[in-house]
Amino acid sequence: MAFPTETVYGLGAAINRRGAVRRIFSVKGRPLGNPLIVHISHREQLEQVVSSVPPVAARLMTRFWPGPLTLVLPRAAALLSEISAGLPTVAVRMPAHPLALALIRAVGVPLVAPSANLSGRPSPTTPGHVLADLVGKIEAVIDGGPCRLGIESTVLDLTSGSSPVILRPGGVSREELERELGITVSSVGRFRGAGPPPRVTKPRPCLPRSGLLLIRGVPERRRRLIWSLIRYYRGRGMTVAWLNPAGAKGATSGKIGLAPLLYGRLRRCELRGVRVILAEEISPRGLGAGVMNRLQNLATRVIRV
Ligand code: AMP
Ligand code: MG
């Protein structure tokens, strides 16, 4: 059963049903080594999921739940091992969506709920996206319209030692976490760790013939390069799309911006047979960090101008 959350649509299974949990992996084509996030509707359910709630976790729950913050904590001994892919920890959050909360309450136990798409495809932010990937493979999708945030939750590891670590940027920003905790929150991942991308000043024949190019650098030079890339690819008969953040209100300031539109735009590009997507860097503040992380992961090539 697929259902809406404030981030993306999730594919749910009760955490105490081994067959259903296993089916999530097979339906999505998801590797068994990729652990699932447990979704709860009220805090009393935590004892079915985690073995302890340190004070810093309790504080974050009070401030950000229900909401797009997933916490990685020590797992409860009785939790099905498939859920956490054999790890001693488990990821858990409380979604901020009335239909998601009502569903969890109706089932009576927490739900694992990865995104309701085929593994490797853009996450679904509308019921249509869910059906495009999973029609015939799942029983139903609860229609809650488009997701408000459109980007997955922030995953914060609270088990890695003294300070919390962002494993995946998302719906709650690092700035918000730091403000709440009054300490520095670090992050891992390609976005921060990647070395300087190649610098090019004009299109070269060795540019990829399909995929996503992430263009970084000062806005004026980005735009100049993008226009010349558009001419370059069109001149070779290829369909090219510009994932233009200016079309999304607040995108450059990082408020909500491009996030709710990102996955839908990527799917539309696919449907239109777009060969090359040109994506512009946006400010990695607020939700922008999550958007940049997804773009970086998708990029065939990063070009700095
Ligand atoms: P998805 O459900 O596809 O949005 O992805 C869930 C995310 O949470 C993935 O990035 C997982 O690697 C991460 N995750 C889930 N459980 C754990 C865990 N126990 N430790 C670290 N990361 C986790
Ligand atoms: Mg996913």
Side-chain angles (χ1 to χ4, degrees):
M1 162 92 77
F3 62 95
T5 76
E6 80 281 30
T7 60
V8 302
Y9 273 73
L11 185 60
I15 60 163
N16 57 354
R17 301 274 295 271
R18 179 166 265 137
V21 171
R22 285 191 178 155
R23 231 185 107 211
I24 295 266
F25 287 96
S26 61
V27 161
K28 282 178 57 71
R30 184 180 175 103
L32 289 168
N34 192 0
L36 303 171
I37 296 175
V38 175
H39 291 61
I40 61 171
S41 57
H42 49 278
R43 277 217 221 169
E44 289 70 42
Q45 288 175 326
L46 278 172
E47 62 189 44
Q48 301 172 53
V49 184
V50 306
S51 62
S52 66
V53 177
V56 66
R59 180 162 184 174
L60 292 171
M61 289 169 189
T62 302
R63 168 72 178 81
F64 295 106
W65 282 6
L69 178 65
T70 296
L71 301 176
V72 173
L73 293 167
R75 51 166 282 177
L79 194 75
L80 291 177
S81 59
E82 283 88 346
I83 292 174
S84 54
L87 294 170
T89 56
V90 63
V92 61
R93 83 175 187 105
M94 188 188 293
H97 195 295
L99 291 174
L101 294 171
L103 179 67
I104 300 166
R105 258 185 246 117
V107 174
V109 290
L111 303 179
V112 287
S115 49
N117 57 336
L118 295 176
S119 229
R121 306 255 308 122
S123 291
T125 55
T126 68
H129 297 162
V130 176
L131 293 175
D133 279 13
L134 301 180
V135 71
K137 296 182 163 190
I138 60 172
E139 292 75 22
V141 49
I142 299 175
D143 187 345
C147 299
R148 182 169 59 83
L149 290 176
I151 194 163
E152 296 87 345
S153 60
T154 297
V155 179
L156 186 71
D157 188 357
L158 296 177
T159 67
S160 67
S162 49
S163 71
V165 180
I166 295 176
L167 301 179
R168 173 179 77 183
V172 171
S173 71
R174 182 222 293 258
E175 297 89 327
E176 287 175 285
L177 294 170
E178 292 186 334
R179 218 174 299 133
E180 176 61 25
L181 296 176
I183 54 169
T184 308
V185 173
S186 56
S187 48
V188 294
R190 289 179 62 186
F191 179 52
R192 216 179 61 126
R199 182 182 280 271
V200 300
T201 47
K202 59 176 191 245
R204 302 207 182 114
C206 62
L207 283 168
R209 297 176 65 82
S210 69
L212 185 145
L213 305 188
L214 178 56
I215 319 291
R216 304 187 61 182
V218 288
E220 246 171 57
R221 288 159 74 170
R222 279 194 325 238
R223 296 289 164 105
R224 222 177 302 132
L225 177 66
I226 282 172
W227 282 114
S228 67
L229 284 170
I230 290 172
R231 279 194 299 274
Y232 171 86
Y233 282 113
R234 285 209 178 133
R236 280 155 185 78
M238 290 181 242
T239 315
V240 48
W242 177 2
L243 200 62
N244 182 352
K249 205 163 154 248
T252 42
S253 67
K255 199 77 181 119
I256 291 232
L258 190 58
L261 307 173
L262 179 66
Y263 289 125
R265 286 193 181 179
L266 292 173
R267 279 181 183 260
R268 213 163 57 208
C269 285
E270 268 179 7
L271 291 175
R272 288 192 188 151
V274 169
R275 287 275 294 275
V276 178
I277 299 171
L278 306 173
E280 264 186 273
E281 170 175 37
I282 63 166
S283 158
R285 274 177 299 131
L287 283 186
V291 172
M292 278 304 284
N293 167 271
R294 308 308 185 270
L295 290 176
Q296 188 95 20
N297 288 338
L298 287 168
T300 318
R301 194 154 155 195
V302 182
I303 300 174
R304 178 177 286 281
V305 286

